PDB file of all heavy atoms in Angstrom:
ATOM      1  N   GLU U 150      10.990-269.114 126.616  1.00 97.00           N
ATOM      2  CA  GLU U 150      10.356-268.358 127.709  1.00 97.00           C
ATOM      3  C   GLU U 150       9.756-267.033 127.276  1.00 97.00           C
ATOM      4  O   GLU U 150       8.882-266.505 127.958  1.00 97.00           O
ATOM      5  CB  GLU U 150      11.416-267.999 128.769  1.00 97.00           C
ATOM      6  CG  GLU U 150      12.270-269.107 129.274  1.00 97.00           C
ATOM      7  CD  GLU U 150      13.467-268.558 130.059  1.00 97.00           C
ATOM      8  OE1 GLU U 150      14.280-267.800 129.467  1.00 97.00           O
ATOM      9  OE2 GLU U 150      13.561-268.865 131.248  1.00 97.00           O
ATOM     10  N   LEU U 151      10.270-266.454 126.168  1.00 98.00           N
ATOM     11  CA  LEU U 151       9.918-265.049 125.924  1.00 98.00           C
ATOM     12  C   LEU U 151       8.459-264.856 125.524  1.00 98.00           C
ATOM     13  O   LEU U 151       7.795-263.952 126.055  1.00 98.00           O
ATOM     14  CB  LEU U 151      10.876-264.421 124.890  1.00 98.00           C
ATOM     15  CG  LEU U 151      10.721-262.908 124.685  1.00 98.00           C
ATOM     16  CD1 LEU U 151      10.759-262.129 125.993  1.00 98.00           C
ATOM     17  CD2 LEU U 151      11.784-262.369 123.724  1.00 98.00           C
ATOM     18  N   ALA U 152       7.920-265.684 124.600  1.00 98.00           N
ATOM     19  CA  ALA U 152       6.500-265.498 124.226  1.00 98.00           C
ATOM     20  C   ALA U 152       5.585-265.696 125.448  1.00 98.00           C
ATOM     21  O   ALA U 152       4.701-264.860 125.688  1.00 98.00           O
ATOM     22  CB  ALA U 152       6.109-266.423 123.076  1.00 98.00           C
ATOM     23  N   PRO U 153       5.800-266.761 126.266  1.00 98.00           N
ATOM     24  CA  PRO U 153       4.973-266.874 127.483  1.00 98.00           C
ATOM     25  C   PRO U 153       5.141-265.678 128.426  1.00 98.00           C
ATOM     26  O   PRO U 153       4.173-265.239 129.054  1.00 98.00           O
ATOM     27  CB  PRO U 153       5.480-268.171 128.138  1.00 98.00           C
ATOM     28  CG  PRO U 153       5.982-268.995 126.987  1.00 98.00           C
ATOM     29  CD  PRO U 153       6.588-267.998 126.025  1.00 98.00           C
ATOM     30  N   ALA U 154       6.365-265.140 128.513  1.00 98.00           N
ATOM     31  CA  ALA U 154       6.575-263.982 129.408  1.00 98.00           C
ATOM     32  C   ALA U 154       5.832-262.748 128.887  1.00 98.00           C
ATOM     33  O   ALA U 154       5.282-261.968 129.671  1.00 98.00           O
ATOM     34  CB  ALA U 154       8.074-263.686 129.545  1.00 98.00           C
ATOM     35  N   VAL U 155       5.801-262.578 127.558  1.00 98.00           N
ATOM     36  CA  VAL U 155       5.076-261.427 126.983  1.00 98.00           C
ATOM     37  C   VAL U 155       3.576-261.618 127.208  1.00 98.00           C
ATOM     38  O   VAL U 155       2.856-260.681 127.575  1.00 98.00           O
ATOM     39  CB  VAL U 155       5.387-261.257 125.476  1.00 98.00           C
ATOM     40  CG1 VAL U 155       4.526-260.157 124.870  1.00 98.00           C
ATOM     41  CG2 VAL U 155       6.865-260.966 125.251  1.00 98.00           C
ATOM     42  N   GLU U 156       3.104-262.843 127.019  1.00 98.00           N
ATOM     43  CA  GLU U 156       1.687-263.146 127.249  1.00 98.00           C
ATOM     44  C   GLU U 156       1.337-262.801 128.711  1.00 98.00           C
ATOM     45  O   GLU U 156       0.363-262.116 128.979  1.00 98.00           O
ATOM     46  CB  GLU U 156       1.466-264.639 126.958  1.00 98.00           C
ATOM     47  CG  GLU U 156       0.060-265.074 126.721  1.00 98.00           C
ATOM     48  CD  GLU U 156      -0.536-264.684 125.367  1.00 98.00           C
ATOM     49  OE1 GLU U 156       0.186-264.274 124.434  1.00 98.00           O
ATOM     50  OE2 GLU U 156      -1.761-264.767 125.257  1.00 98.00           O
ATOM     51  N   ASN U 157       2.190-263.238 129.623  1.00 98.00           N
ATOM     52  CA  ASN U 157       1.975-262.998 131.047  1.00 98.00           C
ATOM     53  C   ASN U 157       2.072-261.508 131.394  1.00 98.00           C
ATOM     54  O   ASN U 157       1.367-261.002 132.263  1.00 98.00           O
ATOM     55  CB  ASN U 157       3.030-263.816 131.828  1.00 98.00           C
ATOM     56  CG  ASN U 157       2.742-263.856 133.301  1.00 98.00           C
ATOM     57  OD1 ASN U 157       1.588-263.903 133.723  1.00 98.00           O
ATOM     58  ND2 ASN U 157       3.794-263.805 134.107  1.00 98.00           N
ATOM     59  N   PHE U 158       2.929-260.803 130.689  1.00 98.00           N
ATOM     60  CA  PHE U 158       3.115-259.353 130.875  1.00 98.00           C
ATOM     61  C   PHE U 158       1.816-258.609 130.517  1.00 98.00           C
ATOM     62  O   PHE U 158       1.354-257.730 131.243  1.00 98.00           O
ATOM     63  CB  PHE U 158       4.267-258.900 129.965  1.00 98.00           C
ATOM     64  CG  PHE U 158       4.536-257.424 129.951  1.00 98.00           C
ATOM     65  CD1 PHE U 158       4.936-256.748 131.090  1.00 98.00           C
ATOM     66  CD2 PHE U 158       4.414-256.707 128.760  1.00 98.00           C
ATOM     67  CE1 PHE U 158       5.203-255.382 131.055  1.00 98.00           C
ATOM     68  CE2 PHE U 158       4.680-255.353 128.713  1.00 98.00           C
ATOM     69  CZ  PHE U 158       5.070-254.687 129.863  1.00 98.00           C
ATOM     70  N   ILE U 159       1.195-259.009 129.393  1.00 98.00           N
ATOM     71  CA  ILE U 159      -0.023-258.310 128.952  1.00 98.00           C
ATOM     72  C   ILE U 159      -1.247-258.784 129.763  1.00 98.00           C
ATOM     73  O   ILE U 159      -2.102-257.992 130.122  1.00 98.00           O
ATOM     74  CB  ILE U 159      -0.279-258.546 127.437  1.00 98.00           C
ATOM     75  CG1 ILE U 159       0.932-258.113 126.592  1.00 98.00           C
ATOM     76  CG2 ILE U 159      -1.574-257.859 126.980  1.00 98.00           C
ATOM     77  CD1 ILE U 159       1.149-256.636 126.453  1.00 98.00           C
ATOM     78  N   TRP U 160      -1.291-260.076 130.066  1.00 97.00           N
ATOM     79  CA  TRP U 160      -2.463-260.614 130.799  1.00 97.00           C
ATOM     80  C   TRP U 160      -2.441-260.248 132.281  1.00 97.00           C
ATOM     81  O   TRP U 160      -3.473-260.029 132.882  1.00 97.00           O
ATOM     82  CB  TRP U 160      -2.523-262.149 130.690  1.00 97.00           C
ATOM     83  CG  TRP U 160      -3.188-262.669 129.462  1.00 97.00           C
ATOM     84  CD1 TRP U 160      -2.700-262.599 128.184  1.00 97.00           C
ATOM     85  CD2 TRP U 160      -4.452-263.335 129.369  1.00 97.00           C
ATOM     86  NE1 TRP U 160      -3.589-263.188 127.315  1.00 97.00           N
ATOM     87  CE2 TRP U 160      -4.675-263.665 128.015  1.00 97.00           C
ATOM     88  CE3 TRP U 160      -5.422-263.721 130.301  1.00 97.00           C
ATOM     89  CZ2 TRP U 160      -5.820-264.321 127.558  1.00 97.00           C
ATOM     90  CZ3 TRP U 160      -6.572-264.389 129.855  1.00 97.00           C
ATOM     91  CH2 TRP U 160      -6.757-264.670 128.498  1.00 97.00           C
ATOM     92  N   HIS U 161      -1.214-260.242 132.883  1.00 97.00           N
ATOM     93  CA  HIS U 161      -1.148-260.128 134.349  1.00 97.00           C
ATOM     94  C   HIS U 161      -0.078-259.156 134.825  1.00 97.00           C
ATOM     95  O   HIS U 161       0.357-259.257 135.977  1.00 97.00           O
ATOM     96  CB  HIS U 161      -0.867-261.512 134.968  1.00 97.00           C
ATOM     97  CG  HIS U 161      -1.834-262.569 134.549  1.00 97.00           C
ATOM     98  ND1 HIS U 161      -3.165-262.539 134.896  1.00 97.00           N
ATOM     99  CD2 HIS U 161      -1.682-263.673 133.762  1.00 97.00           C
ATOM    100  CE1 HIS U 161      -3.789-263.588 134.358  1.00 97.00           C
ATOM    101  NE2 HIS U 161      -2.917-264.286 133.669  1.00 97.00           N
ATOM    102  N   ASN U 162       0.374-258.250 133.954  1.00 96.00           N
ATOM    103  CA  ASN U 162       1.481-257.349 134.319  1.00 96.00           C
ATOM    104  C   ASN U 162       2.690-258.123 134.836  1.00 96.00           C
ATOM    105  O   ASN U 162       3.402-257.659 135.730  1.00 96.00           O
ATOM    106  CB  ASN U 162       1.062-256.359 135.419  1.00 96.00           C
ATOM    107  CG  ASN U 162       0.030-255.392 134.913  1.00 96.00           C
ATOM    108  OD1 ASN U 162       0.167-254.887 133.789  1.00 96.00           O
ATOM    109  ND2 ASN U 162      -1.012-255.159 135.688  1.00 96.00           N
ATOM    110  N   GLY U 163       2.908-259.308 134.304  1.00 97.00           N
ATOM    111  CA  GLY U 163       4.003-260.171 134.782  1.00 97.00           C
ATOM    112  C   GLY U 163       5.370-259.557 134.497  1.00 97.00           C
ATOM    113  O   GLY U 163       5.524-258.690 133.635  1.00 97.00           O
ATOM    114  N   ASP U 164       6.352-260.057 135.248  1.00 96.00           N
ATOM    115  CA  ASP U 164       7.706-259.519 135.162  1.00 96.00           C
ATOM    116  C   ASP U 164       8.451-260.103 133.959  1.00 96.00           C
ATOM    117  O   ASP U 164       8.311-261.281 133.650  1.00 96.00           O
ATOM    118  CB  ASP U 164       8.434-259.897 136.466  1.00 96.00           C
ATOM    119  CG  ASP U 164       9.768-259.204 136.547  1.00 96.00           C
ATOM    120  OD1 ASP U 164       9.816-257.997 136.240  1.00 96.00           O
ATOM    121  OD2 ASP U 164      10.763-259.878 136.890  1.00 96.00           O
ATOM    122  N   LEU U 165       9.235-259.273 133.282  1.00 97.00           N
ATOM    123  CA  LEU U 165       9.958-259.726 132.088  1.00 97.00           C
ATOM    124  C   LEU U 165      11.462-259.846 132.307  1.00 97.00           C
ATOM    125  O   LEU U 165      12.158-260.480 131.507  1.00 97.00           O
ATOM    126  CB  LEU U 165       9.776-258.693 130.954  1.00 97.00           C
ATOM    127  CG  LEU U 165       8.423-258.546 130.281  1.00 97.00           C
ATOM    128  CD1 LEU U 165       8.395-257.259 129.479  1.00 97.00           C
ATOM    129  CD2 LEU U 165       8.158-259.742 129.368  1.00 97.00           C
ATOM    130  N   ASP U 166      11.961-259.213 133.371  1.00 97.00           N
ATOM    131  CA  ASP U 166      13.406-258.970 133.483  1.00 97.00           C
ATOM    132  C   ASP U 166      14.282-260.206 133.332  1.00 97.00           C
ATOM    133  O   ASP U 166      15.222-260.221 132.549  1.00 97.00           O
ATOM    134  CB  ASP U 166      13.738-258.299 134.825  1.00 97.00           C
ATOM    135  CG  ASP U 166      13.309-256.843 134.796  1.00 97.00           C
ATOM    136  OD1 ASP U 166      12.884-256.387 133.710  1.00 97.00           O
ATOM    137  OD2 ASP U 166      13.380-256.190 135.852  1.00 97.00           O
ATOM    138  N   GLY U 167      13.968-261.265 134.104  1.00 98.00           N
ATOM    139  CA  GLY U 167      14.807-262.466 134.077  1.00 98.00           C
ATOM    140  C   GLY U 167      14.867-263.073 132.681  1.00 98.00           C
ATOM    141  O   GLY U 167      15.940-263.477 132.205  1.00 98.00           O
ATOM    142  N   VAL U 168      13.720-263.111 132.017  1.00 98.00           N
ATOM    143  CA  VAL U 168      13.650-263.721 130.679  1.00 98.00           C
ATOM    144  C   VAL U 168      14.430-262.882 129.678  1.00 98.00           C
ATOM    145  O   VAL U 168      15.166-263.408 128.833  1.00 98.00           O
ATOM    146  CB  VAL U 168      12.164-263.882 130.261  1.00 98.00           C
ATOM    147  CG1 VAL U 168      12.053-264.316 128.823  1.00 98.00           C
ATOM    148  CG2 VAL U 168      11.471-264.886 131.184  1.00 98.00           C
ATOM    149  N   LEU U 169      14.308-261.560 129.782  1.00 98.00           N
ATOM    150  CA  LEU U 169      15.063-260.694 128.859  1.00 98.00           C
ATOM    151  C   LEU U 169      16.565-260.852 129.078  1.00 98.00           C
ATOM    152  O   LEU U 169      17.351-260.866 128.128  1.00 98.00           O
ATOM    153  CB  LEU U 169      14.646-259.227 129.036  1.00 98.00           C
ATOM    154  CG  LEU U 169      13.194-258.892 128.668  1.00 98.00           C
ATOM    155  CD1 LEU U 169      12.900-257.418 128.917  1.00 98.00           C
ATOM    156  CD2 LEU U 169      12.890-259.232 127.207  1.00 98.00           C
ATOM    157  N   GLN U 170      16.965-260.999 130.329  1.00 98.00           N
ATOM    158  CA  GLN U 170      18.398-261.217 130.630  1.00 98.00           C
ATOM    159  C   GLN U 170      18.879-262.521 129.990  1.00 98.00           C
ATOM    160  O   GLN U 170      19.995-262.593 129.474  1.00 98.00           O
ATOM    161  CB  GLN U 170      18.636-261.275 132.149  1.00 98.00           C
ATOM    162  CG  GLN U 170      18.471-259.947 132.872  1.00 98.00           C
ATOM    163  CD  GLN U 170      19.575-258.942 132.544  1.00 98.00           C
ATOM    164  OE1 GLN U 170      20.563-259.270 131.873  1.00 98.00           O
ATOM    165  NE2 GLN U 170      19.397-257.701 132.994  1.00 98.00           N
ATOM    166  N   ASN U 171      18.044-263.554 130.035  1.00 98.00           N
ATOM    167  CA  ASN U 171      18.422-264.830 129.419  1.00 98.00           C
ATOM    168  C   ASN U 171      18.597-264.685 127.912  1.00 98.00           C
ATOM    169  O   ASN U 171      19.501-265.277 127.312  1.00 98.00           O
ATOM    170  CB  ASN U 171      17.353-265.903 129.698  1.00 98.00           C
ATOM    171  CG  ASN U 171      17.367-266.340 131.145  1.00 98.00           C
ATOM    172  OD1 ASN U 171      18.315-266.068 131.871  1.00 98.00           O
ATOM    173  ND2 ASN U 171      16.302-267.014 131.567  1.00 98.00           N
ATOM    174  N   VAL U 172      17.716-263.903 127.275  1.00 98.00           N
ATOM    175  CA  VAL U 172      17.823-263.677 125.827  1.00 98.00           C
ATOM    176  C   VAL U 172      19.152-262.983 125.525  1.00 98.00           C
ATOM    177  O   VAL U 172      19.904-263.384 124.630  1.00 98.00           O
ATOM    178  CB  VAL U 172      16.634-262.816 125.323  1.00 98.00           C
ATOM    179  CG1 VAL U 172      16.887-262.300 123.916  1.00 98.00           C
ATOM    180  CG2 VAL U 172      15.338-263.618 125.386  1.00 98.00           C
ATOM    181  N   LYS U 173      19.460-261.959 126.307  1.00 98.00           N
ATOM    182  CA  LYS U 173      20.713-261.229 126.096  1.00 98.00           C
ATOM    183  C   LYS U 173      21.918-262.158 126.263  1.00 98.00           C
ATOM    184  O   LYS U 173      22.858-262.140 125.473  1.00 98.00           O
ATOM    185  CB  LYS U 173      20.792-260.066 127.098  1.00 98.00           C
ATOM    186  CG  LYS U 173      22.054-259.255 126.946  1.00 98.00           C
ATOM    187  CD  LYS U 173      22.132-258.149 127.957  1.00 98.00           C
ATOM    188  CE  LYS U 173      23.475-257.457 127.791  1.00 98.00           C
ATOM    189  NZ  LYS U 173      23.573-256.248 128.569  1.00 98.00           N
TER     190      LYS U 173
END
Side-chain angles (χ1 to χ4, degrees):
E150 309 167 300
L151 187 52
V155 174
E156 198 74 14
N157 191 36
F158 176 63
I159 304 287
W160 275 70
H161 306 294
N162 293 317
D164 188 44
L165 290 165
D166 286 354
V168 172
L169 295 179
Q170 290 290 352
N171 289 345
V172 167
K173 180 182 176 171

